[in-house]
Amino acid sequence: MAHHTAADPFNAVEEGRRHVLWAWLNATGAVHRAVLPHGAPAWLITGYEEARAALADARFAKLGPSSGAFARKLPEDVARGIHSHLLYLNPPDHTRLRRLVTAAFTRRRVERLEPYVRDLTASLLDRLGETAGETGEVDLVTRYAYPLPMAVIGTLLGVPAGRQADFHAWTAPLMSPELVGYEAYVASAVPLLGLLRELIARKRAHPADDLLSALVQARDGGDRLSEDELTSMAYLLVLAGHETTVNLITNTVLALLTHPDRLAALRRDPEPSEAAGRVVEEALRHDGSSQTTMPARTTADVRIGGTTIPAGDLVFVSLLAANRDPARFPEPDRFDPGRADRGHLAFGHGMHHCLGASLARMETRVAVSGLVTRFPGLRLAVPRRTLTRTPSVTMNALDALPVLLRDAR
Ligand code: HEM
């Protein structure tokens, strides 16, 4: 039986409230009928088994490039240049693109980035320490978590130092189209697309040992990425790789600051990198970056969780709910990096499983362990219950994470 729900985790801003609502939904069933914040009817899948099954089932199809932000209003070449990407595509287009792109996104490339991420983190930490006042009160969202992934993506794409400021200014509005509106969106999308085209031309003329060059050169038999697919892929890296990583860094730090025993254990561990890896993995399960995956539409009537979702309906899979399904994870609300059961869905599952998962894990591990090591007195500057979450269907972001870097002298 499908339950029609009025519970609205997407607009639940009070810290912790979102999880209470998802848990309540999960307790009443695995599949729910709901109305989204902007009024559209949709199905929410909350049970772990059902979520995993839906993500592996091609009858839950992504909505196509025309579902991209302002797709019908944008100049056609701009829409094609930014929306021809994996998260809007289905087989066979998705299969073809994913095969080409996977070859460029190697583990080795991520491993080689680690020393750079460490340096970057160290300089961000220096700056945090220098500019904070007596007690070192800072907002970790804007001052630490936000700049790191943006710099990493800029480097992956080979954005020259002199263009980084432009790059940052253009990408911010693109991450919240509904908030900034069409004019601001197009005013960022057009110059960013211009920059991406320029970078791609440069890599084509002078290939370097970087991700963008690898994408330009990617071949599968006679097949290769078209110009629109290349710019869209670069654009997707900006969108998929930024805010998600910001959220994971801050959600992980919050979990540690509210579980001092876990924080102490992390600091004591003789294998800090492994211990931080376990903390990040549990943070992904316990309070992941994404509330839901990108929407899908059923291409046929689908029977799932005892309910039939009719063909043509809009469906959201709740990763937050699935990852705290008590049928899959005992005592799901407990933050326990020692947990034996793996298999969280925070990076999605199936054909759209996150391509940047190992990069995101590495960045977060380095960022979190760097922070807690540099500032032994690190603690929340405000009571946890006063923290707030940004209203969103897809993201699970803290508005701010005010901390004290050191004890008052
Ligand atoms: C904590 C950080 C991250 C999280 C939690 C995350 C989560 C996800 C999820 C849930 C999906 C599947 C969405 C769906 O099925 O609708 C996805 C897809 C994707 N992610 Fe990530 N992501 C993160 C970081 C990154 C990074 C750093 C990159 C690259 C720089 C990246 C690149 C991608 C790409 C390209 C896809 C599309 C794959 C496809 O459709 O085949 N992500 N991510």
Side-chain angles (χ1 to χ4, degrees):
M1 244 289 286
H3 297 262
H4 197 291
T5 181
D8 182 2
F10 307 126
N11 282 316
V13 294
E14 184 193 327
E15 172 56 19
R17 179 79 187 142
R18 189 169 268 176
H19 284 293
V20 171
L21 294 176
W22 284 123
W24 178 80
L25 275 172
N26 237 343
T28 59
V31 178
H32 311 264
R33 198 98 184 83
V35 176
L36 295 178
H38 57 273
W43 295 85
L44 304 177
I45 299 187
T46 57
Y48 178 90
E49 285 310 327
E50 291 76 9
R52 204 177 145 89
L55 293 172
D57 186 335
R59 292 174 300 171
F60 292 91
K62 295 296 190 209
L63 306 189
S66 62
S67 68
F70 305 116
R72 291 191 178 82
K73 219 168 158 189
L74 285 169
E76 210 227 313
D77 73 306
V78 177
R80 268 190 291 111
I82 62 177
H83 292 152
S84 306
H85 69 62
L86 292 168
L87 273 179
Y88 293 136
L89 295 176
N90 296 300
D93 299 330
H94 177 271
T95 324
R96 183 192 143 254
L97 266 192
R98 175 107 183 181
R99 199 181 294 139
L100 279 163
V101 165
T102 307
F105 236 98
T106 58
R107 179 171 290 274
R108 209 169 62 88
R109 200 177 294 291
V110 171
E111 282 167 3
R112 275 193 327 210
L113 263 182
E114 185 161 341
Y116 162 74
V117 174
R118 284 187 186 283
D119 287 352
L120 199 61
T121 305
S123 60
L124 282 171
L125 288 170
D126 289 346
R127 228 177 304 156
L128 265 187
E130 284 160 15
T131 53
E134 183 86 334
T135 55
E137 177 163 352
V138 292
D139 169 24
L140 284 182
V141 174
T142 47
R143 300 284 300 287
Y144 188 58
Y146 197 88
L148 180 67
M150 186 57 91
V152 172
I153 295 162
T155 301
L156 277 174
L157 297 177
V159 178
R163 305 296 296 277
Q164 289 274 356
D166 282 344
F167 178 70
H168 289 204
W170 292 330
T171 46
L174 302 176
M175 285 186 275
S176 32
E178 324 77 35
L179 283 183
V180 299
Y182 177 73
E183 296 306 328
Y185 186 86
V186 77
S188 289
V190 170
L192 177 62
L193 180 59
L195 173 64
L196 296 175
R197 286 181 175 145
E198 225 178 89
L199 294 175
I200 287 165
R202 200 174 305 162
K203 301 294 176 188
R204 188 166 277 137
H206 306 288
D209 186 13
D210 57 27
L211 179 69
L212 195 59
S213 302
L215 289 170
V216 170
Q217 293 173 308
R219 293 275 184 291
D220 183 33
D223 191 17
R224 59 200 293 186
L225 295 161
S226 71
E227 190 71 16
D228 286 335
E229 288 165 348
L230 274 170
T231 49
S232 295
M233 183 63 210
Y235 186 85
L236 173 60
L237 294 183
V238 174
L239 292 197
H242 187 243
E243 220 172 302
T244 47
T245 313
V246 176
N247 297 349
L248 185 57
I249 294 172
T250 45
N251 291 353
T252 306
V253 172
L254 176 61
L256 286 171
L257 295 183
T258 49
H259 296 81
D261 53 330
R262 300 293 169 193
L263 178 55
L266 171 63
R267 287 188 169 129
R268 273 196 316 267
D269 201 288
E271 293 288 346
S273 174
E274 262 180 57
R278 283 193 299 276
V279 164
V280 171
E281 224 42 44
E282 175 65 346
L284 279 159
R285 183 200 69 79
H286 182 259
D287 196 17
S289 316
S290 310
Q291 287 208 75
T292 62
T293 53
M294 296 282 282
R297 206 175 277 291
T298 40
T299 58
D301 291 357
V302 182
R303 185 91 191 136
I304 185 162
T307 299
T308 299
I309 301 183
D313 278 13
L314 196 60
V315 182
F316 288 81
V317 173
S318 170
L319 302 177
L320 283 197
N323 284 337
R324 289 203 192 191
D325 181 346
R328 175 65 179 73
F329 298 102
E331 291 188 73
D333 297 335
R334 204 157 58 88
F335 176 72
D336 177 9
R339 212 175 257 282
D341 37 22
R342 297 285 148 155
H344 66 70
L345 300 177
F347 287 116
H349 175 66
M351 73 170 101
H352 293 282
H353 182 269
C354 180
L355 260 180
S358 48
L359 175 60
R361 285 181 164 118
M362 182 269 280
E363 281 184 63
T364 308
R365 188 165 44 73
V366 171
V368 171
S369 46
L371 177 75
V372 303
T373 311
R374 177 74 71 96
F375 299 108
L378 185 76
R379 61 194 197 284
L380 280 178
V382 296
R384 179 191 183 145
R385 63 184 155 68
T386 64
L387 296 172
T388 53
R389 298 275 167 172
T390 316
S392 171
V393 172
T394 47
M395 288 291 137
N396 180 31
L398 282 159
D399 289 321
L401 183 57
V403 297
L404 302 174
L405 297 178
R406 47 186 166 259
D407 298 327
R409 269 162 252 160

